[in-house]
Amino acid sequence: MVDRPSNELVTTEDKVHTSEGLSSADIHGIVSLTGHNNCTDHEKRHQFDGATKATVDQVEHFGAVGKIVLTEESCYEELGFCFPTWKKWMIISVIFLVQLSMNFNTSLYSNGLTGISEEFGVSMQAARCGAMIFLVTYAFGCELWAPWSEELGRKPILQLSMLLVNIWQLPVALAPNFATIMVGRALGGLSLAGGSVTLGMVADMWDADTQQYAVACVVFSSVAGSVVGPLVGGFVEEYLAWRWTIWIQLIFGGFVQIVHLLVVPETRTTIMLGQIAKKRRKNGENIYGPYEIIPWKERFSLKEICITWIRPFKMFVTEPIVLTLSLLSGFSDALIFMFIQSFGLVYDQWGFDTVALGLSFIPILVGYLIASLSFYPVIQRNMAERRRKPDDEQAQYESRLWWLLYTVPFLPIGLIGFSWTSVGPPVHWMGTMVFSAMVGIANCSIYMTTIDYMVCAYGPYAASATGGNGFARDILAGILTIPATPFFENIGGDRHLEYASTILFCISVVLVVSVYIIYWYGPALRKRSPFAQQLSSSQMEGPSHSRRASAIMPRSKLGSRRNSLTYHQ
């Protein structure tokens, strides 16, 4: 457990201004120096004056004259990563429902396409635009909401997101025309915070060495939600009007929001520091959270808002880890999305009705479950390896991708097997389901490992980093919504279903090769990501420093206070 440092009043004598023009690497690299606890105050100030990089302690102790800024070390036991195990898993259980609800909304709409087409006199392709627009705007929603959860806290952002999503269900359910459906779906997708925020909560409560079980749980809820939609939707389409596909989304979403409001506390460290500081001030202590010393007009100026919104997009473009793994996961999801679009055409050959077609998604769900369960012994192996090799970066990071080397081949195997068992009678339909389960295993494994790798590499900024993963997956899946069905109907003449899936198989081979390249060249990839390297340095310093980067304030906020910030250790 981290020792509590003594809190002393910041005096004018202790005041040290920040230097002009701290670079991004300076701020993101503030973990590169330690606090030098045995040094005198004069030596500490001298070291700070001469350093080219600020330290975490220096950033955490910035404050106006006469104020003490609360740090993680001084209240470590009260923060999210010291919650009891039962409380952490209670929170994750609710987050499981939240994530399930979000992805349920993306898929259940498709079971109302026939009703929408008939009621509003639009083609089936036009009706699919409601699914497309939701996924595309969802991709941007993940990116736009994620950084705000790091600024304002996870709970208020998730609550606001779920509230807006539920509100925008109403105009769709009550739509008098097709244009209203399109607008409601677009705004609903844009309002979804997505897995970038829920996975950020994992980084709030677990360190990199123990996070994998929680990551596996959240990832399973994400992929399962998109399959539960058609499972439920088959019955809704058969027995209810199309508007019930929207009302059911609203009922489920409203229930989950209430549970989240009542059960889940705030987990973001910087926000919790402010809450703890407020409680201590009531007891007479002159303590402030790291964000409380910054006026709201400075913290949320137009410039700050733009910087906050740009952060996940910037990480997606400039961080090689985020870009490479997000594209891998995105193309994988897009391939599988197109593959699923063929189900209606494939199983119609065996005379499947609407309910049976919905139930044909069960094998994919089984594949997701098998993949998730398979990770539990693998996680134990990885944890043991990291303990044996604490100074080996490949063991700390790339070992998380090890199991993917064995599961990712299921993607091309499943696609090529499905393609040539989907010829219809007299071939039994069970063959297609075995191979679709293999595709589910691969998809879940790719999502799990890429997310786990990024959450580990970016820690407290996991929400912004994983936002890129969600962005790539959703926007590629959304874009392919419209051409997916014509693709399977018009490729290859009489064998159009088989040849279309074979094309997907060929593309998947390229993705499989990229996995092995990332595994073997991961260290070189991380060395090109300075932000990830600096957080890695923090984690390698030891337990007392492994979590402290979560209280880092963005560079722009530090710069805006450079004429009044003080340092005290």
Side-chain angles (χ1 to χ4, degrees):
M1 192 62 64
V2 175
D3 295 330
R4 298 174 180 267
S6 59
N7 292 321
E8 301 175 16
L9 192 64
V10 179
T11 65
T12 305
E13 181 179 276
D14 290 318
K15 183 167 58 177
V16 178
H17 299 298
T18 60
S19 59
E20 290 283 346
L22 286 175
S23 69
S24 177
D26 292 337
I27 297 304
H28 293 282
I30 57 182
V31 295
S32 60
L33 298 176
T34 61
H36 301 286
N37 293 332
N38 295 326
C39 298
T40 64
D41 290 341
H42 174 75
E43 287 171 334
K44 291 173 186 174
R45 290 195 297 272
H46 175 73
Q47 289 163 353
F48 179 61
D49 288 332
T52 59
K53 294 182 179 180
T55 69
V56 173
D57 283 333
Q58 290 161 358
V59 173
E60 289 179 339
H61 288 78
F62 280 135
V65 176
K67 293 181 179 179
I68 303 170
V69 180
L70 193 63
T71 69
E72 286 189 24
E73 289 189 348
S74 59
C75 58
Y76 188 84
E77 298 86 353
E78 300 176 64
L79 300 177
F81 32 86
C82 285
F83 283 165
T85 301
W86 67 265
K87 185 173 183 179
K88 289 183 180 182
W89 281 102
M90 177 189 69
I91 294 171
I92 290 299
S93 297
V94 177
I95 294 305
F96 183 98
L97 292 176
V98 171
Q99 193 66 51
L100 192 70
S101 171
M102 291 177 181
N103 289 276
F104 184 73
N105 292 344
T106 66
S107 56
L108 185 58
Y109 169 87
S110 296
N111 291 98
L113 293 179
T114 302
I116 292 172
S117 175
E118 292 175 354
E119 180 171 337
F120 298 111
V122 297
S123 66
M124 288 291 287
Q125 280 294 85
R128 288 189 184 96
C129 289
M132 179 272 292
I133 195 74
F134 189 89
L135 283 167
V136 171
T137 54
Y138 183 16
F140 287 94
C142 286
E143 294 282 62
L144 296 176
W145 286 98
W148 289 108
S149 74
E150 293 163 353
E151 300 291 327
L152 300 174
R154 314 294 190 193
K155 183 167 185 174
I157 288 301
L158 276 179
Q159 276 292 308
L160 181 59
S161 169
M162 288 187 285
L163 176 63
L164 291 175
V165 170
N166 291 334
I167 288 174
W168 295 123
Q169 301 282 19
L170 291 172
V172 179
L174 301 171
N177 52 56
F178 183 65
T180 303
I181 293 177
M182 291 293 292
V183 172
R185 292 290 289 177
L187 293 174
L190 196 63
S191 299
L192 274 175
S196 53
V197 176
T198 55
L199 286 164
M201 295 179 68
V202 173
D204 294 338
M205 295 186 288
W206 281 274
D207 61 28
D209 289 332
T210 58
Q211 71 183 14
Q212 288 174 286
Y213 292 115
V215 171
C217 183
V218 175
V219 165
F220 177 72
S221 68
S222 179
V223 294
S226 59
V227 177
V228 171
L231 285 176
V232 174
F235 292 95
V236 176
E237 185 175 355
E238 181 70 18
Y239 299 111
L240 298 171
W242 75 265
R243 294 179 189 270
W244 274 101
T245 62
I246 310 301
W247 288 121
I248 290 173
Q249 293 177 45
L250 178 58
I251 292 168
F252 187 27
F255 167 75
V256 170
Q257 182 176 2
I258 293 172
V259 173
H260 177 270
L261 177 65
L262 297 176
V263 175
V264 177
E266 181 57 61
T267 60
R268 174 68 178 171
T269 298
T270 45
I271 304 302
M272 292 186 72
L273 289 173
Q275 295 172 345
I276 294 168
K278 288 178 182 177
K279 291 180 182 178
R280 293 192 181 185
R281 284 201 300 275
K282 291 180 180 179
N283 296 327
E285 296 184 55
N286 186 28
I287 298 287
Y288 293 83
Y291 283 155
E292 289 186 293
I293 60 173
I294 305 176
W296 276 76
K297 65 179 181 180
E298 292 185 24
R299 193 175 163 204
F300 296 105
S301 64
L302 179 60
K303 178 181 178 182
E304 292 297 335
I305 290 173
C306 291
I307 289 173
T308 299
W309 264 337
I310 289 172
R311 185 192 305 157
F313 292 101
K314 182 178 179 181
M315 292 182 74
F316 179 69
V317 174
T318 62
E319 288 290 317
I321 292 175
V322 176
L323 179 62
T324 305
L325 295 182
S326 295
L327 289 178
L328 168 64
S329 184
F331 277 112
S332 169
D333 197 53
L335 278 181
I336 292 162
F337 180 82
M338 292 193 70
F339 156 73
I340 289 175
Q341 295 301 301
S342 71
F343 274 33
L345 300 171
V346 168
Y347 291 113
D348 183 59
Q349 298 175 111
W350 284 282
F352 279 33
D353 61 16
T354 303
V355 173
L357 180 60
L359 295 177
S360 69
F361 286 82
I362 290 178
I364 297 180
L365 184 60
V366 171
Y368 289 157
L369 184 60
I370 291 172
S372 297
L373 293 176
S374 74
F375 271 101
Y376 283 82
V378 172
I379 289 171
Q380 288 290 336
R381 175 191 180 276
N382 288 348
M383 291 173 67
E385 182 178 0
R386 289 195 296 273
R387 284 194 296 268
R388 288 196 310 269
K389 304 174 183 178
D391 298 324
D392 186 339
E393 284 201 13
Q394 189 160 18
Q396 299 301 315
Y397 293 92
E398 278 68 42
S399 67
R400 299 166 188 273
L401 302 175
W402 173 78
W403 186 232
L404 185 58
L405 303 180
Y406 299 94
T407 55
V408 74
F410 282 119
L411 181 58
I413 292 172
L415 287 172
I416 193 66
F418 182 89
S419 66
W420 293 100
T421 54
S422 61
V423 296
V427 177
H428 199 277
W429 49 262
M430 181 58 70
T432 61
M433 295 194 174
V434 170
F435 286 110
S436 65
M438 290 185 181
V439 173
I441 291 172
N443 186 36
C444 186
S445 297
I446 290 172
Y447 194 21
M448 164 62 189
T449 51
T450 55
I451 286 292
D452 181 39
Y453 191 88
M454 283 195 286
V455 171
C456 174
Y458 292 98
Y461 291 97
S464 289
T466 57
N469 195 308
F471 178 79
R473 291 172 69 88
D474 292 320
I475 199 165
L476 289 172
I479 290 172
L480 292 175
T481 297
I482 302 302
T485 300
F487 172 74
F488 280 98
E489 289 178 334
N490 301 311
I491 294 289
D494 292 339
R495 294 290 185 181
H496 54 94
L497 292 175
E498 294 90 322
Y499 286 125
S501 293
T502 300
I503 292 173
L504 298 184
F505 156 77
C506 295
I507 298 172
S508 70
V509 172
V510 178
L511 295 181
V512 170
V513 172
S514 69
V515 168
Y516 295 93
I517 293 174
I518 292 170
Y519 179 79
W520 291 112
Y521 294 96
L525 194 66
R526 281 185 287 103
K527 286 178 181 177
R528 296 188 179 186
S529 299
F531 187 24
Q533 280 293 297
Q534 298 297 347
L535 288 176
S536 171
S537 299
S538 172
Q539 292 167 352
M540 296 296 283
E541 285 179 8
S544 63
H545 294 83
S546 63
R547 298 296 314 184
R548 294 165 64 192
S550 61
I552 299 172
M553 289 183 286
R555 170 181 179 268
S556 57
K557 293 179 175 58
L558 294 173
S560 69
R561 300 284 298 173
R562 64 176 178 268
N563 294 324
S564 60
L565 294 177
T566 62
Y567 163 64
H568 177 71
Q569 184 147 2

